[in-house]
Amino acid sequence: MGYTDLDGRVSDLDVLFSRVFGRVEVIRILFLPALIALALNLNAHADDVVVQMSHVRKVFDNGEHNAFTDLVKFQGDYYLTFRSCPDGHMVHPTASIIILRSDDLQEWEQVHQFSVPLRDTRDPHFLVFKEKLFVYTGTWYSGETTIPIKDYDLNLHLGYAVVTQDGSHWDGPIMLEGTFGHYVWKANQYGGKAYLCGRRKHQFDVRPRGEGPNVESAMLQSEDGLSWKKISLFQETRGDETAFQFTSQGNVIGIARRGSDSAQIVRSSPPYAQWDREDLDRYIGGPLLVRWGERWVVGGRRNTKSGPKTSLCWLQGNKLHEFAELPSGGDNSYPGFLDLGDGKAIVSWYSSHERDQNGKIVTAIYLADLKIHDPE
């Protein structure tokens, strides 16, 4: 989720991000391509594929801290979700999850917003499962007011979801059975069952604040998308945010963050009892793993000489080849991605690289169009 290292330390940069912005209500949002429009040809793939990035635009900025995005297509419409909080990046009971909808990727409307009393809702993720659209969120216990960092407790985490059958009427938030003590993250489905990543302390260890190395990244399974049980571990130590996909044979491939260390690529086959784990060549914050045509795309925050940036890479074997650096800086990453077919895609992310007219940092939600130009 991007604000604390696994040993419990909070970076100076992350503390800087926990700013307080004025609250501005926004019900309908139009694309603003003129703000930061650009088009880039980016070539970093072994077979000389060129990716064009265009129509970069800010799509949501209400003066609050807006972060942690995801995209999905459901019943012919497009959905974008993210967390919004007037009190900043850190854990606050004022946080909420916002869901936008569009039928053309050009004009968006807010269709739902929810929060959980006494909890910080964050890191929302979509799942289309059994003809329903789920939005999952991991929640820190925060109490009636913002609690001190020293009182954060991973063992008090609890997952929630809202569910819809038509994109307009939403049920919830519904507490996810079996997720107490788990920070739920990305979801997927295969073979009529739903799967979640859930970060948790080994044996729910009780000790002074600080996650430490004995944090697992658990693979949770559900028959209905609401009640969960652990079936395996993506990571046995230094477990963190894990983005994962299923192949047509049911094999799993995942990109797993490991705090501020190098990320891992993890693989397993049914029944997921044994895992192959290999370190990648870089840290990845808020990892993304998706299929774009016949290729794997990995996205997330990486550290550069000019600061943290959100980038996209091809995954070839166990190697990453960057093909795009999105306009980003400061507090940023957690991209969403949709393959639109015919070599086209759209990517979402959040970033705080801009300032408003008063010089305050803006942490906003962005979109960009992508297109593959294969070599002739």
Side-chain angles (χ1 to χ4, degrees):
M1 71 181 206
Y3 69 83
T4 179
D5 294 333
L6 286 180
D7 61 2
R9 296 174 298 177
V10 178
S11 70
D12 293 338
L13 187 60
D14 286 333
V15 171
L16 177 63
F17 294 153
S18 59
R19 290 173 172 265
V20 177
F21 295 99
R23 185 177 182 90
V24 178
E25 297 296 332
V26 177
I27 303 301
R28 194 169 183 84
I29 305 94
L30 301 179
F31 286 139
L32 301 175
L35 290 176
I36 51 174
L38 63 112
L40 298 174
N41 283 335
L42 301 147
N43 181 3
H45 191 237
D47 60 6
D48 293 329
V49 168
V50 175
V51 175
Q52 182 184 54
M53 178 168 60
S54 62
H55 196 197
V56 179
R57 64 270 198 194
K58 183 194 301 181
V59 297
F60 192 91
D61 173 19
N62 61 353
E64 300 185 6
H65 184 278
N66 301 290
F68 319 125
T69 77
D70 200 11
L71 284 166
V72 77
K73 188 174 184 180
F74 176 67
Q75 295 183 352
D77 288 324
Y78 302 95
Y79 291 82
L80 169 65
T81 188
F82 50 90
R83 170 193 184 261
S84 188
C85 182
D87 295 315
H89 185 118
M90 308 299 281
V91 172
H92 307 284
T94 52
S96 65
I97 302 301
I98 292 176
I99 305 167
L100 309 182
R101 179 174 61 193
S102 173
D103 61 4
D104 60 2
L105 296 173
Q106 299 303 314
E107 186 174 317
W108 295 81
E109 63 176 341
Q110 182 172 312
V111 292
H112 196 53
Q113 182 173 9
F114 71 94
S115 58
V116 177
L118 307 181
R119 289 186 170 271
D120 181 327
T121 49
R122 56 197 305 127
D123 291 283
H125 291 103
F126 288 119
L127 179 67
V128 178
F129 181 60
K130 295 189 175 180
E131 300 183 345
K132 298 178 182 178
L133 178 59
F134 292 75
V135 179
Y136 295 110
T137 175
T139 70
W140 284 94
Y141 176 77
S142 56
E144 294 182 357
T145 60
T146 300
I147 63 175
I149 293 174
K150 65 179 180 64
D151 293 334
Y152 294 174
D153 189 348
L154 188 62
N155 283 342
L156 295 181
H157 256 293
L158 188 56
Y160 282 82
V162 294
V163 188
T164 184
Q165 292 182 314
D166 60 9
S168 297
H169 303 91
W170 297 79
D171 295 326
I174 304 166
M175 184 186 72
L176 302 180
E177 297 288 347
T179 67
F180 193 70
H182 294 76
Y183 191 145
V184 303
W185 213 60
K186 291 206 174 193
N188 215 319
Q189 61 88 25
Y190 179 79
K193 296 179 181 179
Y195 296 83
L196 265 178
C197 166
R199 192 167 84 243
R200 67 186 194 182
K201 289 187 178 182
H202 178 64
Q203 296 186 347
F204 302 102
D205 189 18
V206 177
R207 62 176 62 200
R209 183 193 173 270
E211 298 175 10
N214 294 322
V215 172
E216 305 165 335
S217 177
M219 186 184 207
L220 307 179
Q221 184 188 82
S222 174
E223 301 283 346
D224 62 1
L226 298 174
S227 297
W228 299 85
K229 64 179 180 180
K230 172 253 181 181
I231 64 165
S232 187
L233 295 178
F234 293 112
Q235 296 167 291
E236 295 176 345
T237 60
R238 296 190 68 78
D240 209 323
E241 304 159 342
T242 304
F244 61 101
Q245 296 286 344
F246 290 89
T247 70
S248 58
Q249 295 78 30
N251 298 326
V252 173
I253 178 174
I255 300 296
R257 180 178 177 177
R258 296 176 68 233
S260 57
D261 292 342
S262 295
Q264 287 184 327
I265 183 168
V266 298
R267 291 185 172 94
S268 186
S269 301
Y272 316 119
Q274 302 294 324
W275 289 83
D276 176 70
R277 306 176 180 95
E278 183 169 333
D279 290 353
L280 294 168
D281 64 354
R282 68 196 69 187
Y283 151 84
I284 302 176
L288 165 80
L289 176 67
V290 292
R291 198 75 174 170
W292 187 7
E294 299 301 314
R295 301 174 175 88
W296 288 111
V297 173
V298 173
R301 182 174 58 241
R302 68 168 303 187
N303 295 323
T304 72
K305 292 182 179 179
S306 57
K309 301 288 185 180
T310 302
S311 69
L312 300 174
C313 303
W314 301 120
L315 175 65
Q316 294 181 293
N318 289 350
K319 303 296 183 182
L320 296 175
H321 303 271
E322 185 174 289
F323 66 83
E325 182 181 286
L326 306 177
S328 53
D331 190 5
N332 70 94
S333 183
Y334 293 70
F337 188 99
L338 273 179
D339 182 349
L340 302 177
D342 297 325
K344 298 178 181 179
I346 188 168
V347 61
S348 64
W349 73 101
Y350 83 94
S351 179
S352 57
H353 64 285
E354 295 187 302
R355 293 179 180 269
D356 65 16
Q357 59 185 3
N358 297 316
K360 291 184 178 180
I361 293 175
V362 172
T363 309
I365 307 299
Y366 298 86
L367 288 174
D369 297 333
L370 303 172
K371 183 173 177 56
I372 293 175
H373 294 274
D374 285 302
E376 297 181 358

